[in-house]
Amino acid sequence: MRLSNLADYAIVIMAATARKCGGGRVSSADLAQETGIPVPTAQKIVSKLSAAGLLRSTRGAGGGLQLGRPAAAISMADIVEAIEGPIALVSCIDTGDCAVEHECSVKPHWPVVNAAVRGALAEVSLAKIAGSVPAQKEVA
């Protein structure tokens, strides 16, 4: 499984926003420059993140973007779902479109797997990604 470039870039943009904002506002052009993401791509991502309520946009003098809620209250799962939609590793769960559904013994198990993946992503907050909370070391 691999995230799309847009989802990956969205995480990078959200981390940059969290680091830059500190209560202030930042423009999508500033975020594009800081992250190296092309401006049109950054604008597309910002639009999706704003529609999901993860970013808030203010127009006019002194306007710009800021986080829609505190960085600690935004998870990687929130960001990925804002770009990709619900986390589902196989399309048959999401769309119900399956050529072998009548013979499939795996389908009942996919929701458990999807929930585990979403849970893992939900454990990582934007605050951790942005560096304001240290990542925890794995215990073996």
Side-chain angles (χ1 to χ4, degrees), residues 46-135:
V46 162
S47 176
K48 287 183 172 232
L49 294 170
S50 296
L54 299 179
L55 289 177
R56 191 175 2 180
S57 177
T58 305
R59 295 181 185 256
L65 300 164
Q66 61 186 157
L67 297 178
R69 54 186 193 250
I74 298 172
S75 72
M76 280 184 88
D78 296 329
I79 299 167
V80 169
E81 288 179 332
I83 302 301
E84 303 280 351
I87 295 168
L89 298 181
V90 293
S91 63
C92 66
I93 299 302
D94 214 17
T95 64
D97 184 25
C98 181
V100 295
E101 185 173 8
H102 62 284
E103 301 171 9
C104 184
S105 62
V106 181
K107 186 173 181 173
H109 302 282
W110 280 118
V112 174
V113 174
N114 291 339
V117 171
R118 190 192 189 290
L121 291 172
E123 290 283 321
V124 182
S125 73
L126 180 57
K128 286 181 186 176
I129 297 166
S132 58
V133 175

Side-chain angles (χ1 to χ4, degrees), residues 5-45:
N5 285 343
L6 282 184
D8 181 26
Y9 294 165
I11 294 167
V12 171
I13 284 175
M14 288 294 288
T17 304
R19 284 191 299 272
K20 285 193 92 106
C21 280
R25 293 183 174 88
V26 64
S27 73
S28 57
D30 290 340
L31 291 171
Q33 182 176 5
E34 180 178 331
T35 61
I37 296 169
V39 173
T41 303
Q43 289 171 333
K44 179 178 181 177
I45 291 167

